[in-house]
Amino acid sequence: MKKKYGLIGYPLEHSFSKDFFNRKFMSENVDAEYLNFQIGSVRELGNVLRENPLLCGLNVTLPYKTQVMALLDELDGDARTVGAVNVIKFVKGRFGRRKLKGYNSDIIGFRQSVAALLDGSQRSALVLGTGGAAKAVVRGLEQLGVTPLPVSRTKKEGCLTYGELTPRIMEQNTVIVNTTPVGMYPNVGQRPDIPYDLLTPGHLLYDLLYNPDETAFLRAGKERGCTVKNGLEMLILQAYESWKIWNM
């Protein structure tokens, strides 16, 4: 019987995961299919589960990586630490009941992707955004020995605002990671509101976005000699990690 996997989130028109997994299943002769479940509220997860009894695992994307945690039976340690879930594994519980366990593969995907760009001189990083993806990036940076400094549009405890990015802070934080949707297709002309004139060839700009390939954020960094990278490799790495989680 064909197994089912899928993605919950909103919107999902430009999602990478469906095509990636279905190509993987075809190339490896895996009897499975991957579906998109575009839901307007995280509470609709229950309907998805009832209507798809053959589901074996789910990915979670914006805006539900944090919200979905309240609906799960159990959390992996990393998911609990960062407060965000992007992988749900179905575990057989007592009396045949299906239990839901949350994991975070974004941490591993980001850490493995950015590690090759670090040379040991980078001590601290600005993390643009404070959502579920940002929390995974913060955890990944910490595991690499880089101190993360979150940046938010509004004043929050433990965060800087964009207006507080002084020349000294920009000089000290040579890694800048965009975890926000600013600049994502179709709004390709937009970019996070950082002082781009303070960027130098010693800066590394990493954008979790991959559509377009080169966002306005990355383009501005490249024009100033920065090392730049988009989030496609991270996405592929976290997808492989999702598959490991579902099958371990």
Side-chain angles (χ1 to χ4, degrees), residues 122 174 198-204 221-228:
Q122 300 91 346
T174 52
L198 297 177
L199 296 175
T200 71
H203 280 89
L204 161 63
K222 183 185 287 186
E223 289 171 355
R224 288 159 180 81
C226 303
T227 300
V228 302

Side-chain angles (χ1 to χ4, degrees), residues 3 25-28 41 84 92-93 105 111 125 129 131 153 167 183 189 193 216-217 226 237:
K3 294 180 178 179
F25 296 154
M26 184 176 295
S27 66
E28 298 180 11
S41 165
K92 186 175 291 186
S105 66
R111 188 183 70 223
R153 288 177 298 174
D193 188 22
F217 169 71
C226 303
L237 291 169

Side-chain angles (χ1 to χ4, degrees), residues 42 60-61 63-71 82-86 130-133 135:
V42 73
V60 184
T61 190
Y64 304 131
K65 292 184 179 184
T66 299
Q67 298 175 32
V68 77
M69 296 176 68
L71 306 180
V82 303
V85 163
N86 76 312
T130 57
K135 294 173 181 176

Side-chain angles (χ1 to χ4, degrees), residues 24-242:
K24 175 180 173 62
F25 296 154
M26 184 176 295
S27 66
E28 298 180 11
N29 293 317
V30 176
D31 190 18
E33 63 177 333
Y34 192 100
L35 305 169
N36 280 348
F37 300 104
Q38 183 168 281
I39 56 178
S41 165
V42 73
R43 293 289 173 184
E44 295 177 35
L45 173 60
N47 296 335
V48 172
L49 299 179
R50 283 190 293 272
E51 294 167 7
N52 298 274
L54 297 181
L55 268 175
C56 299
L58 285 169
N59 286 124
V60 184
T61 190
L62 297 173
Y64 304 131
K65 292 184 179 184
T66 299
Q67 298 175 32
V68 77
M69 296 176 68
L71 306 180
L72 305 180
D73 299 294
E74 191 177 349
L75 294 172
D76 173 69
D78 274 340
R80 184 181 296 105
T81 297
V82 303
V85 163
N86 76 312
V87 183
I88 300 175
K89 180 177 182 177
F90 297 164
V91 181
K92 186 175 291 186
R94 297 182 62 187
F95 310 112
R97 176 179 174 271
R98 183 166 55 176
K99 294 176 62 178
L100 308 182
K101 183 171 181 178
Y103 294 81
N104 194 306
S105 66
D106 282 339
I107 300 170
I108 294 175
F110 172 73
R111 188 183 70 223
Q112 292 180 345
S113 180
V114 79
L117 303 176
L118 303 177
D119 60 14
S121 66
Q122 300 91 346
R123 299 299 181 187
S124 56
L126 299 177
V127 179
L128 310 182
T130 57
K135 294 173 181 176
V137 165
V138 164
R139 180 65 169 166
L141 288 169
E142 290 173 340
Q143 292 174 346
L144 290 167
V146 178
T147 301
L149 183 56
V151 181
S152 173
R153 288 177 298 174
T154 57
K155 190 66 177 175
K156 297 180 181 178
E157 185 178 354
C159 296
L160 292 175
T161 63
Y162 287 91
E164 294 173 324
L165 298 179
T166 64
R168 181 168 175 77
I169 288 174
M170 292 295 291
E171 180 183 4
Q172 291 175 333
N173 292 271
T174 52
V175 179
I176 305 175
V177 185
N178 177 40
T179 73
T180 77
V182 176
M184 184 170 64
Y185 180 88
N187 302 309
V188 296
Q190 298 179 1
R191 64 188 190 186
D193 188 22
I194 67 170
Y196 291 91
D197 60 309
L198 297 177
L199 296 175
T200 71
H203 280 89
L204 161 63
L205 269 58
Y206 192 108
D207 201 331
L208 266 58
L209 300 178
Y210 58 92
N211 185 11
D213 291 341
E214 185 178 271
T215 60
F217 169 71
L218 294 183
R219 187 162 58 252
K222 183 185 287 186
E223 289 171 355
R224 288 159 180 81
C226 303
T227 300
V228 302
K229 188 169 188 176
N230 71 19
L232 182 58
E233 183 184 52
M234 171 185 168
L235 200 65
I236 293 171
L237 291 169
Q238 71 81 22
Y240 279 118
E241 187 64 21
S242 296

